[in-house]
């Protein structure tokens, strides 16, 4: 046999061996991805957990995946758990939760998600890197949220859910009573990257508050004395919207560089103080109001029934609360605390913390008065 033929045979064997190893590694990688994905993006290098729900979704393998993004901070972890549990039990759709948290909370969260009641949930834990906010948020003792990085996770949806074309974001102080598929199917107009519930037109506002004044207008969030704000030519009386629950078209979000736009206004506020001094709500709202001014669609008001975390929530009738598709305890009083409205509705979905770190704050008299 010639030397040339020997070389050809060796080359063929080497190629075959290479293809065999490649095939083996591919199978191993596929198996790994079903259980854990490593994130190399700017939201943090920590592992992302991925728990497949093979039993529930084996039959519905062709169903579109519905990404639901929810932030889970250590001090409010029970809220995120209750929200997730309520969503899962009220839908037959293929939901996957992207639970955004800080590195030191991940282990606590995993132990809770391993509870028997939550074992069917498909989820990923995404580590959010607070360094992402450097130079974009100034610490303000009067605004506690300025020191809570996860409040801003919603600004970075395309990074948190990189492969999705569409996603739902919601705060941790909600309970979902309808099928999340209906919210996911909210129609967005061409060119709109998100759909929100507007404050002036929402069912909860109509039921609760008359003549709310600046609390539900742009002037309640932005300082119209500042020239930069005035130059935007946004009417101060424009109805604001609530960013605690929204549907995002991530393709359009990326096309318009929404995240970059939001960061621009965060930085300008640090430099010039553009937010209203009598800020009506969350400090995450003003940048969103600017970027989405007259450029957003609306969700069904019953998918964000709000104010259960304020005294106004006590004015709701039990029938109205039962009919709501999503209940939102925005405000100072949270359902795991003492004085929120309809805490009994929230507690139906709460699962006790197996580690014992998170406890409901209750008074005996309040519990005895729950009907």
């Amino acid at each position: 046999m010639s030397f040339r033929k020997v070389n050809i045979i060796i080359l063929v064997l080497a190629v075959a061996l290479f293809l065999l190893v490649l095939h083996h590694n591919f199978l191993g990688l596929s198996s790994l991805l079903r259980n854990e994905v490593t994130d190399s993006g700017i939201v943090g290098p920590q592992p992302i957990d991925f728990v497949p729900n093979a039993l529930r979704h084996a039959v519905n393998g062709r169903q579109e995946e519905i990404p639901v993004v929810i932030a889970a901070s250590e001090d409010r972890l029970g809220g995120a758990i209750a929200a997730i549990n309520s969503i899962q039990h009220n839908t037959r759709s293929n939901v996957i939760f992207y639970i955004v948290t800080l590195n030191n909370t991940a282990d606590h969260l995993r132990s809770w998600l391993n509870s028997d009641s939550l074992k069917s949930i498909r989820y990923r834990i995404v580590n959010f890197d607070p360094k992402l906010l450097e130079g974009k948020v100034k610490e303000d003792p009067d605004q506690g949220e300025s020191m809570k990085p996860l409040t801003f996770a919603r600004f970075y949806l395309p990074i948190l859910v990189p492969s999705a074309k569409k996603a739902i974001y919601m705060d941790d102080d909600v309970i979902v009573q309808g099928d999340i598929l209906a919210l996911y199917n909210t129609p967005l107009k061409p060119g709109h990257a998100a759909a929100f519930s507007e404050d002036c037109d929402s069912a909860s506002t109509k039921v609760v508050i008359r003549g709310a004044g600046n609390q539900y207008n742009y002037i309640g969030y932005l300082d119209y004395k500042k020239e930069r704000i005035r130059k935007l030519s946004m009417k101060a009386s424009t109805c604001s919207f609530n960013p605690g629950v929204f549907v995002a078209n991530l393709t359009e979000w990326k096309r318009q560089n929404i995240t970059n736009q939001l960061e621009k206004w965060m930085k300008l506020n640090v430099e010039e103080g553009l937010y209203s001094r009598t800020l009506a709500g969350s400090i995450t709202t003003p940048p969103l109001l600017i970027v989405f001014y007259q450029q957003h669609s609306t969700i069904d008001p019953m998918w964000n029934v709000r104010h259960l975390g304020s005294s106004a929530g006590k004015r709701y009738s039990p029938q109205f609360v039962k009919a709501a598709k999503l209940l939102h305890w925005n405000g100072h009083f949270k359902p795991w605390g003492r004085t929120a409205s309809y805490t009994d509705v929230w507690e139906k979905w709460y699962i006790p913390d197996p580690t014992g770190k998170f406890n409901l704050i209750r008074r005996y008299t309040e519990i005895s008065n729950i009907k």
Side-chain angles (χ1 to χ4, degrees):
M1 186 179 295
S2 69
F3 182 72
R4 185 177 178 182
K5 285 183 178 180
V6 171
N7 284 342
I8 291 173
I9 292 172
I10 292 173
L11 181 62
V12 170
L13 289 173
V15 170
L17 181 62
F18 173 77
L19 291 174
L20 184 64
V21 171
L22 185 65
H23 179 67
H24 179 270
N25 287 344
F26 178 75
L27 291 176
L29 179 62
S30 298
S31 176
L32 176 64
L33 287 174
R34 284 196 294 270
N35 294 283
E36 186 173 286
V37 178
T38 299
D39 176 35
S40 59
I42 59 173
V43 291
Q46 299 302 317
I48 302 177
D49 294 340
F50 177 32
V51 178
N53 185 1
L55 293 176
R56 183 184 178 97
H57 298 295
V59 179
N60 301 320
R62 295 183 181 178
Q63 269 193 347
E64 182 178 2
E65 190 172 89
I66 300 178
V68 175
V69 180
I70 185 167
S73 60
E74 181 70 26
D75 59 326
R76 300 161 62 108
L77 212 49
I81 292 293
I84 290 168
N85 191 34
S86 70
I87 294 168
Q88 183 75 1
H89 279 83
N90 285 301
T91 187
R92 297 178 61 84
S93 298
N94 187 13
V95 176
I96 179 167
F97 296 96
Y98 288 78
I99 311 171
V100 188
T101 192
L102 301 179
N103 190 42
N104 57 6
T105 302
D107 288 341
H108 185 189
L109 177 58
R110 286 189 194 100
S111 65
W112 214 329
L113 291 168
N114 285 333
S115 302
D116 289 339
S117 304
L118 298 169
K119 283 190 174 177
S120 65
I121 287 172
R122 302 175 69 238
Y123 67 86
R124 292 182 178 179
I125 297 176
V126 185
N127 179 61
F128 187 82
D129 189 348
K131 292 179 181 177
L132 196 59
L133 303 176
E134 287 180 359
K136 305 180 186 79
V137 181
K138 60 180 179 181
E139 293 193 4
D140 183 350
D142 296 328
Q143 291 293 334
E145 287 182 354
S146 64
M147 289 166 274
K148 295 182 178 179
L150 293 176
T151 307
F152 300 93
R154 71 198 84 190
F155 288 7
Y156 299 93
L157 288 180
I159 300 170
L160 303 174
V161 196
S163 60
K165 295 180 180 178
K166 191 177 180 183
I168 296 171
Y169 171 85
M170 60 180 59
D171 285 343
D172 56 11
D173 53 356
V174 306
I175 288 295
V176 173
Q177 300 186 132
D179 188 338
I180 200 73
L181 179 63
L183 178 60
Y184 185 74
N185 287 336
T186 297
L188 273 70
K189 295 178 181 178
H192 287 183
F196 302 91
S197 178
E198 294 194 345
D199 290 321
C200 305
D201 299 330
S202 72
S204 49
T205 302
K206 288 179 180 178
V207 168
V208 173
I209 294 173
R210 304 280 180 187
N214 294 340
Q215 189 174 359
Y216 300 107
N217 298 331
Y218 268 49
I219 199 172
Y221 292 88
L222 300 170
D223 188 351
Y224 276 79
K225 294 178 182 177
K226 297 296 173 67
E227 183 181 3
R228 190 177 293 276
I229 295 297
R230 293 200 306 272
K231 281 184 175 180
L232 293 173
S233 299
M234 300 183 302
K235 290 184 179 178
S237 60
T238 301
C239 182
S240 56
F241 54 77
N242 180 273
V245 178
F246 64 90
V247 182
N249 177 337
L250 298 181
T251 302
E252 194 64 35
W253 190 293
K254 287 184 277 192
R255 190 186 72 80
Q256 297 182 33
N257 291 318
I258 296 294
T259 296
N260 290 343
Q261 291 187 56
L262 293 167
E263 288 185 325
K264 167 192 168 182
W265 288 104
M266 291 168 71
K267 291 175 184 175
L268 286 172
N269 177 63
V270 170
E271 296 166 5
E272 303 177 26
L274 302 178
Y275 303 167
S276 171
R277 291 184 179 179
T278 58
L279 194 63
S282 170
I283 60 170
T284 56
T285 303
L288 290 162
L289 292 180
I290 295 172
V291 172
F292 286 101
Y293 179 71
Q294 296 185 344
Q295 287 294 318
H296 66 274
S297 299
T298 56
I299 64 175
D300 181 339
M302 294 302 281
W303 272 102
N304 193 0
V305 171
R306 307 192 286 287
H307 311 300
L308 288 161
S310 70
S311 57
K314 300 183 186 301
R315 303 180 197 176
Y316 292 142
S317 69
Q319 293 79 15
F320 180 70
V321 169
K322 186 176 181 180
K325 302 296 185 184
L326 183 147
L327 298 168
H328 190 178
W329 278 265
N330 62 314
H332 294 296
F333 311 123
K334 300 305 174 187
W336 50 87
R338 287 196 176 98
T339 53
S341 303
Y342 289 99
T343 54
D344 55 322
V345 176
W346 181 85
E347 282 191 42
K348 285 195 304 183
W349 302 106
Y350 174 70
I351 296 169
D353 182 1
T355 71
K357 295 178 184 177
F358 186 95
N359 292 293
L360 303 185
I361 303 171
R362 294 287 185 262
R363 289 180 182 150
Y364 175 79
T365 54
E366 288 171 343
I367 294 174
S368 64
N369 287 333
I370 291 176
K371 297 178 180 179

